[in-house]
Structures are given as structure tokens and as C-alpha cells.
Amino acid sequence: MPRPTRLANKTIWALEDIIARSRIARARWDAAMRHAERSLDPAMMLLLARLRDDLAEIERLAKDARHGEYSESSPS
């Protein structure tokens, strides 16, 4: 069985940075959602829910790529 192709170090580092930045973005998303909930702003909560889904997909793609995997997702 052939070994999987190893990712270049710079690619690994970039993917690790994307994953770390995704965590920061999720923390900022949490703060924005708390603010929208306190303000009782349903339109903002809906937009933030969609943004949360996008952040989760970005993080999933980066984690998969970090492990040399790819599974296609459907853009929404």
C-alpha cells in the first residue's frame, strides 16, 4: 500500500493558522450572537447562524486538508 503524500511544511503551517483563526472567529461570533440575543434582533441572529455554519465548514475543510483529505461540500 503506498504511503500518503506528505504535505509541505508551509502548507501545514498555513492550515494550522487557518484553524487557529477559525477559533478566534468563533469566539467573536459568540460575542456577536450574545449581543444580538440581548438586543432581540432576529435578523442579525439569522445572519449569525448562517455565518456559524460557514465558519464550521471552513474549519472542517482546513482540518481535513491538514490530514491530507478532501471531501467535497455543497456551497450554499
Side-chain angles (χ1 to χ4, degrees):
M1 180 193 270
R3 290 187 321 172
T5 304
R6 187 185 179 298
L7 297 174
N9 284 340
K10 288 183 180 181
T11 301
I12 292 170
W13 299 335
L15 290 167
E16 293 290 338
D17 286 348
I18 291 167
I19 293 166
R21 184 59 65 170
S22 294
R23 289 185 188 120
I24 292 168
R26 185 166 303 273
R28 290 180 178 163
W29 175 89
D30 286 335
M33 183 57 92
R34 282 192 304 272
H35 177 76
E37 288 171 343
R38 280 194 306 269
S39 302
L40 298 175
D41 187 341
M44 183 59 72
M45 286 188 275
L46 177 62
L47 291 171
L48 287 168
R50 290 178 180 161
L51 178 60
R52 178 197 58 217
D53 294 345
D54 292 337
L55 288 171
E57 183 64 9
I58 290 167
E59 192 169 359
R60 184 193 66 76
L61 288 168
K63 285 180 180 178
D64 285 353
R66 172 63 183 89
H67 293 99
E69 300 171 4
Y70 176 74
S71 59
E72 193 170 338
S73 61
S74 59
S76 50

